[in-house]
Amino acid sequence: MITLKEALKLSAGEISELRNELEKKIFADKELGAYVEQLANLPLDKLGAGVPIAIKDNIQVKGWSVTCASKILQGYVAPYNATVVEKLLAAGLAPFGRTNMDEFAMGSTTESSYYGKTLNPLNRERVAGGSSGGSAAAVGAGLAVAALGSDTGGSIRQPAAFCGCVGLKPTYGRVSRYGLGAYSSSLDQIGPITQNVEDAAILYDIIAGHDDKDSTSADIKFESVADKLNADKKLTICVIENYINEASEEAKKALLKAVDVLKAAGHKIIYKNLENSKCDIATYYIIATAEASANLSRYDGVRYGRRAEAKNLKELYINSRSEGFGEEVKKRILLGTFVLSSGYYDAYYIKAQKARAHTKAKYEQILSECDLILMPVAPSTAYKFGELKNPLDSYLSDIYTISVNLAGLPAISVPVAKDADGLNVSAQLIAKAWDEKTLLEGALSLENSIKG
Protein backbone atom coordinates (compact mmCIF):
# COMPACT_ATOMS: atom_id res chain seq x y z
CA MET A 1 0.00 0.00 0.00
CA ILE A 2 1.22 3.49 -0.87
CA THR A 3 2.24 5.50 2.20
CA LEU A 4 0.64 8.79 3.21
CA LYS A 5 3.86 10.64 2.43
CA GLU A 6 3.85 9.21 -1.09
CA ALA A 7 0.11 9.77 -1.57
CA LEU A 8 0.45 13.48 -0.80
CA LYS A 9 2.64 13.82 -3.89
CA LEU A 10 0.07 12.29 -6.26
CA SER A 11 -1.77 14.25 -8.92
CA ALA A 12 -5.55 14.60 -8.83
CA GLY A 13 -5.88 11.86 -11.43
CA GLU A 14 -3.60 9.51 -9.51
CA ILE A 15 -5.57 10.16 -6.30
CA SER A 16 -8.78 9.29 -8.13
CA GLU A 17 -7.17 6.01 -9.27
CA LEU A 18 -6.06 5.31 -5.71
CA ARG A 19 -9.58 5.84 -4.38
CA ASN A 20 -11.03 3.51 -7.03
CA GLU A 21 -8.42 0.88 -6.20
CA LEU A 22 -9.24 1.10 -2.50
CA GLU A 23 -12.97 0.83 -3.16
CA LYS A 24 -12.46 -2.38 -5.15
CA LYS A 25 -10.29 -3.87 -2.39
CA ILE A 26 -12.82 -2.94 0.30
CA PHE A 27 -15.77 -4.41 -1.60
CA ALA A 28 -13.76 -7.57 -2.24
CA ASP A 29 -13.02 -7.99 1.47
CA LYS A 30 -16.24 -7.11 3.30
CA GLU A 31 -15.73 -10.13 5.57
CA LEU A 32 -12.96 -8.25 7.40
CA GLY A 33 -15.56 -5.85 8.81
CA ALA A 34 -13.22 -2.86 8.83
CA TYR A 35 -15.80 -0.48 7.35
CA VAL A 36 -19.41 -0.04 8.41
CA GLU A 37 -20.72 1.65 5.28
CA GLN A 38 -20.09 1.02 1.60
CA LEU A 39 -18.17 3.91 0.15
CA ALA A 40 -20.55 4.17 -2.79
CA ASN A 41 -23.26 5.25 -0.34
CA LEU A 42 -21.24 8.15 1.02
CA PRO A 43 -21.37 11.65 -0.53
CA LEU A 44 -17.67 11.72 -1.37
CA ASP A 45 -18.17 14.08 -4.29
CA LYS A 46 -19.09 16.90 -1.89
CA LEU A 47 -15.76 16.54 -0.10
CA GLY A 48 -13.50 16.78 -3.11
CA ALA A 49 -11.01 14.14 -4.13
CA GLY A 50 -8.26 14.46 -1.57
CA VAL A 51 -5.96 11.69 -0.35
CA PRO A 52 -8.35 9.14 1.23
CA ILE A 53 -8.30 8.80 5.02
CA ALA A 54 -10.53 6.31 6.87
CA ILE A 55 -12.62 7.85 9.66
CA LYS A 56 -13.77 6.12 12.86
CA ASP A 57 -17.55 6.05 13.20
CA ASN A 58 -17.55 8.50 16.14
CA ILE A 59 -16.04 11.44 14.22
CA GLN A 60 -18.52 13.65 12.39
CA VAL A 61 -18.34 14.17 8.64
CA LYS A 62 -21.05 16.52 7.40
CA GLY A 63 -23.75 14.68 5.47
CA TRP A 64 -22.58 11.24 6.60
CA SER A 65 -24.22 9.03 9.18
CA VAL A 66 -22.28 8.92 12.44
CA THR A 67 -23.50 6.23 14.81
CA CYS A 68 -20.68 5.32 17.22
CA ALA A 69 -21.49 1.75 16.09
CA SER A 70 -24.70 1.87 18.13
CA LYS A 71 -28.31 1.00 17.34
CA ILE A 72 -29.51 4.09 19.21
CA LEU A 73 -27.89 6.43 16.65
CA GLN A 74 -29.14 4.72 13.51
CA GLY A 75 -30.52 7.38 11.18
CA TYR A 76 -28.52 10.25 12.66
CA VAL A 77 -26.69 12.34 10.06
CA ALA A 78 -23.85 14.65 11.03
CA PRO A 79 -24.83 18.33 10.53
CA TYR A 80 -21.22 19.58 10.53
CA ASN A 81 -17.61 18.47 10.16
CA ALA A 82 -15.44 17.69 13.14
CA THR A 83 -12.49 20.07 13.38
CA VAL A 84 -10.08 17.25 12.45
CA VAL A 85 -12.09 16.66 9.27
CA GLU A 86 -11.91 20.36 8.38
CA LYS A 87 -8.15 20.17 8.88
CA LEU A 88 -7.90 17.10 6.63
CA LEU A 89 -9.79 18.88 3.85
CA ALA A 90 -7.65 22.00 4.18
CA ALA A 91 -4.50 19.88 3.78
CA GLY A 92 -5.64 18.10 0.63
CA LEU A 93 -6.91 14.96 2.32
CA ALA A 94 -10.50 13.70 2.46
CA PRO A 95 -12.62 11.33 4.59
CA PHE A 96 -12.99 7.95 2.93
CA GLY A 97 -15.35 5.53 4.63
CA ARG A 98 -16.61 5.00 8.17
CA THR A 99 -14.68 2.40 10.14
CA ASN A 100 -16.07 -0.04 12.67
CA MET A 101 -15.58 0.35 16.42
CA ASP A 102 -16.77 -0.90 19.77
CA GLU A 103 -20.12 0.72 20.57
CA PHE A 104 -19.50 4.24 21.92
CA ALA A 105 -15.79 3.27 22.08
CA MET A 106 -16.48 0.94 25.01
CA GLY A 107 -14.43 -2.18 24.45
CA SER A 108 -11.09 -3.67 23.52
CA THR A 109 -12.03 -6.02 20.68
CA THR A 110 -14.52 -4.26 18.33
CA GLU A 111 -16.99 -7.04 19.12
CA SER A 112 -19.59 -4.81 20.79
CA SER A 113 -20.38 -3.00 17.53
CA TYR A 114 -23.98 -2.94 16.30
CA TYR A 115 -22.58 -3.81 12.85
CA GLY A 116 -20.77 -6.96 13.97
CA LYS A 117 -17.15 -7.69 14.74
CA THR A 118 -13.98 -6.68 12.89
CA LEU A 119 -11.45 -9.41 12.12
CA ASN A 120 -7.69 -9.12 12.56
CA PRO A 121 -6.01 -8.88 9.13
CA LEU A 122 -2.97 -10.83 10.42
CA ASN A 123 -5.12 -13.77 11.54
CA ARG A 124 -8.88 -13.69 11.05
CA GLU A 125 -9.55 -15.94 14.03
CA ARG A 126 -8.15 -13.19 16.27
CA VAL A 127 -9.61 -9.92 17.51
CA ALA A 128 -8.53 -6.66 15.89
CA GLY A 129 -8.44 -4.89 19.24
CA GLY A 130 -10.54 -1.89 20.13
CA SER A 131 -12.20 0.38 20.24
CA SER A 132 -10.62 1.65 16.99
CA GLY A 133 -10.41 -1.88 15.58
CA GLY A 134 -11.95 -0.93 12.23
CA SER A 135 -9.41 1.84 11.61
CA ALA A 136 -6.48 -0.39 12.60
CA ALA A 137 -7.73 -3.35 10.54
CA ALA A 138 -8.25 -1.11 7.49
CA VAL A 139 -4.67 0.17 7.64
CA GLY A 140 -3.24 -3.24 8.52
CA ALA A 141 -5.05 -4.92 5.61
CA GLY A 142 -4.07 -2.28 3.07
CA LEU A 143 -7.66 -1.01 2.80
CA ALA A 144 -6.68 2.51 3.90
CA VAL A 145 -3.67 4.75 3.38
CA ALA A 146 -4.12 5.95 6.96
CA ALA A 147 -6.97 6.39 9.43
CA LEU A 148 -8.20 8.42 12.36
CA GLY A 149 -9.19 6.75 15.60
CA SER A 150 -9.90 7.87 19.14
CA ASP A 151 -8.09 6.80 22.30
CA THR A 152 -9.77 6.85 25.73
CA GLY A 153 -7.71 4.16 27.42
CA GLY A 154 -5.60 2.66 24.64
CA SER A 155 -8.15 2.52 21.81
CA ILE A 156 -5.63 3.68 19.18
CA ARG A 157 -2.46 2.02 20.49
CA GLN A 158 -3.86 -1.43 21.35
CA PRO A 159 -5.67 -2.18 18.04
CA ALA A 160 -2.73 -0.72 16.11
CA ALA A 161 -0.47 -3.14 17.97
CA PHE A 162 -2.80 -6.09 17.34
CA CYS A 163 -3.03 -5.29 13.60
CA GLY A 164 0.63 -4.42 13.02
CA CYS A 165 0.26 -0.63 12.55
CA VAL A 166 1.62 2.49 14.20
CA GLY A 167 -0.86 4.17 16.57
CA LEU A 168 -0.29 7.64 18.07
CA LYS A 169 -2.21 9.10 21.00
CA PRO A 170 -1.35 12.81 21.24
CA THR A 171 -1.20 14.78 24.48
CA TYR A 172 -4.69 15.42 25.85
CA GLY A 173 -5.83 18.78 24.48
CA ARG A 174 -3.42 18.83 21.53
CA VAL A 175 -6.01 17.66 18.97
CA SER A 176 -9.51 19.13 18.95
CA ARG A 177 -12.33 16.90 20.20
CA TYR A 178 -14.98 19.05 18.53
CA GLY A 179 -17.14 16.68 16.51
CA LEU A 180 -16.02 13.55 18.39
CA GLY A 181 -18.73 11.43 19.99
CA ALA A 182 -17.86 11.63 23.68
CA TYR A 183 -17.25 8.58 25.82
CA SER A 184 -15.13 10.01 28.65
CA SER A 185 -14.49 13.69 28.04
CA SER A 186 -11.39 14.04 30.24
CA LEU A 187 -9.70 11.03 28.60
CA ASP A 188 -10.78 10.94 24.91
CA GLN A 189 -8.24 12.01 22.27
CA ILE A 190 -8.30 11.72 18.47
CA GLY A 191 -5.12 10.44 16.82
CA PRO A 192 -3.66 8.77 13.70
CA ILE A 193 -3.26 5.10 12.82
CA THR A 194 -0.72 4.70 10.02
CA GLN A 195 1.62 2.33 8.21
CA ASN A 196 4.77 3.85 9.69
CA VAL A 197 6.06 6.47 12.12
CA GLU A 198 6.74 9.14 9.49
CA ASP A 199 3.12 8.96 8.29
CA ALA A 200 1.95 9.26 11.90
CA ALA A 201 3.98 12.46 12.25
CA ILE A 202 2.55 13.87 8.99
CA LEU A 203 -1.06 13.15 9.97
CA TYR A 204 -0.46 14.44 13.50
CA ASP A 205 0.83 17.74 12.11
CA ILE A 206 -2.31 18.09 10.00
CA ILE A 207 -4.85 17.52 12.78
CA ALA A 208 -3.10 19.10 15.79
CA GLY A 209 -3.51 22.63 17.13
CA HIS A 210 -5.75 24.83 19.26
CA ASP A 211 -9.47 25.03 18.52
CA ASP A 212 -11.79 27.66 20.02
CA LYS A 213 -14.75 25.33 19.48
CA ASP A 214 -13.34 22.82 21.99
CA SER A 215 -13.18 23.94 25.62
CA THR A 216 -10.66 21.16 26.39
CA SER A 217 -8.31 22.22 23.57
CA ALA A 218 -5.03 23.56 24.92
CA ASP A 219 -4.14 27.09 23.86
CA ILE A 220 -0.45 26.21 23.60
CA LYS A 221 1.74 27.09 20.64
CA PHE A 222 1.97 24.23 18.17
CA GLU A 223 4.89 23.70 15.80
CA SER A 224 4.90 21.01 13.11
CA VAL A 225 7.26 18.12 13.73
CA ALA A 226 7.24 15.83 10.67
CA ASP A 227 9.91 17.76 8.75
CA LYS A 228 12.12 18.23 11.84
CA LEU A 229 12.44 14.67 13.12
CA ASN A 230 15.98 13.53 13.91
CA ALA A 231 16.05 9.74 14.19
CA ASP A 232 19.76 9.91 15.15
CA LYS A 233 19.13 11.98 18.28
CA LYS A 234 20.41 10.08 21.33
CA LEU A 235 17.81 9.76 24.06
CA THR A 236 17.56 8.45 27.60
CA ILE A 237 14.87 5.77 27.60
CA CYS A 238 13.42 4.32 30.78
CA VAL A 239 12.32 0.69 30.49
CA ILE A 240 9.52 -0.33 32.88
CA GLU A 241 11.04 -3.65 33.87
CA ASN A 242 8.18 -5.14 35.90
CA TYR A 243 5.63 -4.52 33.12
CA ILE A 244 7.83 -6.25 30.54
CA ASN A 245 8.33 -9.19 32.91
CA GLU A 246 4.54 -9.49 33.31
CA ALA A 247 3.95 -9.80 29.55
CA SER A 248 3.63 -13.11 27.71
CA GLU A 249 6.90 -14.93 27.03
CA GLU A 250 6.99 -14.07 23.32
CA ALA A 251 6.07 -10.43 23.94
CA LYS A 252 8.71 -10.19 26.66
CA LYS A 253 11.36 -11.67 24.35
CA ALA A 254 10.47 -9.25 21.54
CA LEU A 255 10.47 -6.21 23.82
CA LEU A 256 13.82 -7.06 25.39
CA LYS A 257 15.26 -7.43 21.90
CA ALA A 258 13.84 -3.99 21.01
CA VAL A 259 15.59 -2.57 24.09
CA ASP A 260 18.88 -4.13 22.93
CA VAL A 261 18.36 -2.60 19.48
CA LEU A 262 17.84 0.85 20.99
CA LYS A 263 20.92 0.43 23.14
CA ALA A 264 22.95 -0.54 20.07
CA ALA A 265 21.66 2.59 18.32
CA GLY A 266 23.34 4.68 21.04
CA HIS A 267 20.40 5.45 23.32
CA LYS A 268 20.95 5.38 27.08
CA ILE A 269 18.75 2.77 28.77
CA ILE A 270 17.71 2.95 32.41
CA TYR A 271 15.35 0.66 34.29
CA LYS A 272 12.56 1.39 36.73
CA ASN A 273 9.38 -0.25 38.06
CA LEU A 274 5.88 1.18 38.21
CA GLU A 275 3.30 0.32 40.84
CA ASN A 276 0.63 -2.33 40.39
CA SER A 277 -1.21 -1.42 37.20
CA LYS A 278 -4.46 -2.89 38.56
CA CYS A 279 -4.86 0.30 40.61
CA ASP A 280 -4.81 2.27 37.35
CA ILE A 281 -7.52 0.00 35.94
CA ALA A 282 -9.80 0.64 38.92
CA THR A 283 -9.17 4.39 38.67
CA TYR A 284 -9.80 4.42 34.93
CA TYR A 285 -13.09 2.51 35.01
CA ILE A 286 -14.51 4.64 37.80
CA ILE A 287 -13.71 7.92 36.00
CA ALA A 288 -14.51 6.70 32.48
CA THR A 289 -17.85 5.14 33.38
CA ALA A 290 -18.87 8.16 35.49
CA GLU A 291 -18.24 10.49 32.57
CA ALA A 292 -19.91 8.05 30.16
CA SER A 293 -23.02 7.98 32.35
CA ALA A 294 -23.25 11.77 32.09
CA ASN A 295 -22.35 11.97 28.37
CA LEU A 296 -24.74 9.26 27.24
CA SER A 297 -27.70 10.67 29.16
CA ARG A 298 -28.42 12.80 26.07
CA TYR A 299 -29.43 9.69 24.09
CA ASP A 300 -33.00 9.49 25.34
CA GLY A 301 -35.13 8.94 22.23
CA VAL A 302 -36.08 12.62 22.05
CA ARG A 303 -33.05 14.55 20.84
CA TYR A 304 -30.89 12.09 18.89
CA GLY A 305 -31.26 9.03 16.74
CA ARG A 306 -33.63 6.14 17.26
CA ARG A 307 -36.94 6.57 19.11
CA ALA A 308 -38.78 3.55 20.53
CA GLU A 309 -42.55 3.21 20.64
CA ALA A 310 -43.99 4.29 23.98
CA LYS A 311 -47.20 5.41 25.69
CA ASN A 312 -45.66 8.17 27.79
CA LEU A 313 -42.41 10.07 28.30
CA LYS A 314 -40.99 7.77 30.99
CA GLU A 315 -41.64 4.72 28.84
CA LEU A 316 -40.05 6.52 25.87
CA TYR A 317 -36.82 7.02 27.82
CA ILE A 318 -36.76 3.45 29.13
CA ASN A 319 -37.63 1.76 25.84
CA SER A 320 -35.35 3.89 23.67
CA ARG A 321 -32.33 3.35 25.90
CA SER A 322 -33.06 -0.32 26.59
CA GLU A 323 -33.47 -1.15 22.91
CA GLY A 324 -30.80 1.23 21.62
CA PHE A 325 -27.81 0.49 23.83
CA GLY A 326 -25.83 -2.76 23.74
CA GLU A 327 -24.97 -4.79 26.82
CA GLU A 328 -21.47 -3.41 27.33
CA VAL A 329 -22.69 0.19 27.15
CA LYS A 330 -25.51 -0.55 29.59
CA LYS A 331 -23.05 -2.08 32.06
CA ARG A 332 -20.79 0.95 31.95
CA ILE A 333 -23.67 3.42 32.28
CA LEU A 334 -24.94 1.53 35.34
CA LEU A 335 -21.48 1.47 36.92
CA GLY A 336 -20.97 5.16 36.21
CA THR A 337 -24.35 6.09 37.63
CA PHE A 338 -23.54 4.06 40.75
CA VAL A 339 -20.18 5.74 41.45
CA LEU A 340 -21.76 9.17 41.02
CA SER A 341 -24.75 8.43 43.23
CA SER A 342 -25.32 9.89 46.68
CA GLY A 343 -23.31 8.04 49.29
CA TYR A 344 -20.81 6.61 46.80
CA TYR A 345 -19.48 9.76 45.10
CA ASP A 346 -16.88 10.41 47.81
CA ALA A 347 -16.07 6.73 48.30
CA TYR A 348 -15.35 6.07 44.64
CA TYR A 349 -15.27 9.05 42.28
CA ILE A 350 -13.34 11.47 44.52
CA LYS A 351 -10.86 8.74 45.46
CA ALA A 352 -10.39 7.88 41.82
CA GLN A 353 -9.56 11.49 40.99
CA LYS A 354 -6.95 11.51 43.77
CA ALA A 355 -5.50 8.26 42.42
CA ARG A 356 -5.40 9.84 38.96
CA ALA A 357 -3.28 12.71 40.32
CA HIS A 358 -0.97 10.11 41.88
CA THR A 359 -0.60 8.31 38.53
CA LYS A 360 0.24 11.58 36.79
CA ALA A 361 2.84 12.40 39.44
CA LYS A 362 4.47 8.96 39.01
CA TYR A 363 4.95 9.58 35.30
CA GLU A 364 6.22 13.11 35.82
CA GLN A 365 8.80 11.86 38.32
CA ILE A 366 10.13 9.20 35.92
CA LEU A 367 10.08 11.56 32.92
CA SER A 368 12.13 14.09 34.91
CA GLU A 369 14.97 11.54 34.66
CA CYS A 370 14.55 10.46 31.03
CA ASP A 371 13.25 11.48 27.61
CA LEU A 372 10.97 8.50 26.97
CA ILE A 373 9.41 5.56 28.77
CA LEU A 374 9.22 2.13 27.13
CA MET A 375 6.72 -0.55 28.13
CA PRO A 376 4.40 -3.10 26.48
CA VAL A 377 1.22 -2.03 24.69
CA ALA A 378 -0.65 -5.15 25.82
CA PRO A 379 0.20 -8.24 27.90
CA SER A 380 0.02 -10.49 24.82
CA THR A 381 -0.58 -10.53 21.08
CA ALA A 382 -4.12 -10.54 19.66
CA TYR A 383 -6.21 -13.30 21.23
CA LYS A 384 -8.85 -15.52 19.64
CA PHE A 385 -12.51 -14.56 19.54
CA GLY A 386 -14.21 -15.97 22.62
CA GLU A 387 -10.90 -16.81 24.29
CA LEU A 388 -11.51 -14.41 27.19
CA LYS A 389 -14.68 -15.70 28.83
CA ASN A 390 -14.58 -13.24 31.73
CA PRO A 391 -15.27 -9.61 30.67
CA LEU A 392 -12.77 -8.45 33.28
CA ASP A 393 -10.02 -10.30 31.41
CA SER A 394 -10.65 -8.23 28.29
CA TYR A 395 -10.40 -5.06 30.40
CA LEU A 396 -6.88 -6.19 31.33
CA SER A 397 -5.78 -5.98 27.68
CA ASP A 398 -5.62 -2.20 28.28
CA ILE A 399 -3.59 -2.61 31.46
CA TYR A 400 -0.52 -0.81 30.08
CA THR A 401 -2.28 1.93 28.12
CA ILE A 402 -4.95 3.42 30.37
CA SER A 403 -2.55 5.12 32.79
CA VAL A 404 -1.22 7.26 29.90
CA ASN A 405 -4.74 8.66 29.37
CA LEU A 406 -5.14 9.28 33.09
CA ALA A 407 -1.92 11.32 32.98
CA GLY A 408 -2.82 13.05 29.69
CA LEU A 409 0.53 12.15 28.08
CA PRO A 410 1.42 11.40 24.45
CA ALA A 411 2.22 7.77 23.55
CA ILE A 412 2.81 5.66 20.46
CA SER A 413 2.77 1.97 19.63
CA VAL A 414 5.48 0.76 17.23
CA PRO A 415 5.66 -2.77 15.76
CA VAL A 416 8.89 -4.54 16.80
CA ALA A 417 8.40 -8.25 15.98
CA LYS A 418 6.12 -11.07 14.87
CA ASP A 419 5.49 -14.08 17.10
CA ALA A 420 5.45 -17.74 16.03
CA ASP A 421 1.87 -17.35 14.76
CA GLY A 422 2.68 -14.29 12.67
CA LEU A 423 0.98 -11.95 15.13
CA ASN A 424 2.43 -8.54 15.85
CA VAL A 425 4.23 -7.41 19.00
CA SER A 426 4.58 -3.67 19.55
CA ALA A 427 6.48 -1.51 22.00
CA GLN A 428 4.84 1.51 23.61
CA LEU A 429 6.80 4.74 23.98
CA ILE A 430 5.59 7.57 26.25
CA ALA A 431 6.86 11.17 26.41
CA LYS A 432 6.36 14.33 28.44
CA ALA A 433 3.20 16.35 27.77
CA TRP A 434 3.42 18.38 24.51
CA ASP A 435 6.66 16.66 23.51
CA GLU A 436 5.40 14.66 20.54
CA LYS A 437 8.59 15.59 18.66
CA THR A 438 10.81 13.58 21.01
CA LEU A 439 8.22 10.79 21.10
CA LEU A 440 8.22 10.51 17.31
CA GLU A 441 12.01 10.76 17.10
CA GLY A 442 12.36 7.84 19.50
CA ALA A 443 9.70 5.89 17.62
CA LEU A 444 11.40 6.56 14.28
CA SER A 445 14.76 5.46 15.67
CA LEU A 446 13.19 2.25 16.98
CA GLU A 447 11.42 1.60 13.67
CA ASN A 448 14.58 2.20 11.63
CA SER A 449 16.71 0.08 13.94
CA ILE A 450 14.28 -2.84 13.84
CA LYS A 451 14.11 -2.72 10.04
CA GLY A 452 17.87 -2.27 9.75
Side-chain angles (χ1 to χ4, degrees):
M1 169 55 63
I2 187 173
T3 66
L4 177 58
K5 183 180 181 180
E6 293 166 341
L8 287 169
K9 298 175 182 177
L10 298 178
S11 66
E14 290 170 328
I15 290 174
S16 180
E17 288 179 17
L18 172 61
R19 295 166 74 93
N20 290 336
E21 178 190 330
L22 283 172
E23 277 203 44
K24 290 175 184 175
K25 290 175 70 175
I26 292 164
F27 292 147
D29 196 4
K30 293 180 184 177
E31 180 196 27
L32 187 69
Y35 290 87
V36 300
E37 187 168 11
Q38 293 183 358
L39 303 185
N41 295 334
L42 299 173
L44 296 168
D45 56 314
K46 296 179 182 178
L47 295 168
V51 174
I53 304 295
I55 307 292
K56 188 175 179 180
D57 188 33
N58 61 351
I59 299 172
Q60 298 209 72
V61 179
K62 186 176 181 180
W64 289 16
S65 292
V66 57
T67 69
C68 297
S70 178
K71 183 178 181 180
I72 205 165
L73 274 174
Q74 296 302 306
Y76 179 74
V77 176
Y80 62 90
N81 283 327
T83 295
V84 290
V85 172
E86 291 288 351
K87 285 175 174 281
L88 291 180
L89 296 170
L93 290 75
F96 188 74
R98 295 162 48 214
T99 56
N100 203 12
M101 58 182 283
D102 282 298
E103 184 182 7
F104 282 104
M106 298 182 190
S108 306
T109 64
T110 312
E111 288 180 278
S112 68
S113 168
Y114 171 71
Y115 302 102
K117 62 190 178 186
T118 296
L119 310 182
N120 190 314
L122 301 179
N123 183 326
R124 301 200 175 202
E125 294 181 354
R126 309 275 177 153
V127 301
S131 64
S132 306
S135 291
V139 175
L143 304 182
V145 175
L148 291 184
S150 65
D151 192 311
T152 307
S155 290
I156 285 174
R157 291 159 287 155
Q158 184 250 32
F162 280 8
C163 295
C165 315
V166 170
L168 171 64
K169 186 206 90 68
T171 306
Y172 180 80
R174 179 58 94 187
V175 176
S176 174
R177 293 172 50 252
Y178 181 73
L180 172 69
Y183 164 20
S184 179
S185 301
S186 72
L187 300 169
D188 299 335
Q189 186 63 85
I190 295 172
I193 296 176
T194 58
Q195 301 171 58
N196 56 54
V197 173
E198 190 174 22
D199 279 0
I202 292 169
L203 193 48
Y204 164 74
D205 275 354
I206 289 170
I207 64 174
H210 175 62
D211 180 16
D212 289 331
K213 298 188 185 77
D214 175 12
S215 63
T216 64
S217 175
D219 192 2
I220 294 175
K221 185 180 179 182
F222 170 72
E223 294 182 359
S224 61
V225 298
D227 57 348
K228 301 171 186 173
L229 296 183
N230 177 12
D232 296 323
K233 184 179 178 182
K234 305 310 175 190
L235 305 170
T236 299
I237 301 173
C238 177
V239 176
I240 305 302
E241 200 166 18
N242 60 322
Y243 285 6
I244 289 181
N245 288 334
E246 291 169 2
S248 68
E249 201 56 41
E250 288 208 73
K252 177 182 174 182
K253 181 181 176 182
L255 290 166
L256 290 176
K257 184 177 179 182
V259 171
D260 289 339
V261 164
L262 287 168
K263 194 181 297 183
H267 300 291
K268 181 181 177 182
I269 306 297
I270 63 174
Y271 296 87
K272 287 187 180 293
N273 290 334
L274 275 170
E275 295 171 17
N276 192 332
S277 51
K278 290 182 180 178
C279 296
D280 292 328
I281 287 181
T283 301
Y284 170 82
Y285 277 101
I286 289 170
I287 293 172
T289 57
E291 294 183 1
S293 173
N295 279 326
L296 271 64
S297 64
R298 72 191 71 178
Y299 303 109
D300 53 15
V302 176
R303 288 169 285 188
Y304 297 99
R306 189 177 182 281
R307 176 179 297 186
E309 293 186 10
K311 297 175 183 177
N312 53 55
L313 186 61
K314 182 179 179 181
E315 198 175 283
L316 173 65
Y317 289 161
I318 294 172
N319 291 354
S320 295
R321 290 170 69 81
S322 297
E323 295 172 15
F325 289 134
E327 293 305 309
E328 184 61 35
V329 174
K330 289 175 186 174
K331 279 192 292 186
R332 298 197 191 195
I333 289 174
L334 286 171
L335 179 57
T337 303
F338 171 77
V339 300
L340 289 175
S341 62
S342 177
Y344 296 101
Y345 182 82
D346 290 343
Y348 291 100
Y349 186 72
I350 295 298
K351 281 186 179 177
Q353 291 291 6
K354 291 178 180 177
R356 180 181 191 169
H358 177 67
T359 296
K360 185 177 181 182
K362 284 190 300 181
Y363 275 112
E364 287 175 350
Q365 192 278 319
I366 293 176
L367 286 166
S368 69
E369 302 176 37
C370 65
D371 300 301
L372 297 174
I373 294 171
L374 185 148
M375 64 170 73
V377 178
S380 67
T381 52
Y383 42 87
K384 291 181 179 179
F385 288 102
E387 186 175 329
L388 304 183
K389 304 296 184 186
N390 186 340
L392 293 177
D393 290 337
S394 67
Y395 294 173
L396 292 175
S397 66
D398 296 332
I399 197 167
Y400 303 127
T401 53
I402 55 178
S403 58
V404 176
N405 295 76
L406 291 170
L409 300 175
I412 191 169
S413 61
V414 182
V416 295
K418 292 285 194 295
D419 71 4
D421 296 320
L423 298 169
N424 183 68
V425 179
S426 284
Q428 178 178 203
L429 295 174
I430 304 160
K432 300 176 182 72
W434 320 115
D435 195 9
E436 278 82 358
K437 182 175 183 290
T438 299
L439 178 69
L440 288 159
E441 285 175 335
L444 187 58
S445 176
L446 176 57
E447 184 181 71
N448 290 345
S449 300
I450 291 291
K451 289 178 179 177

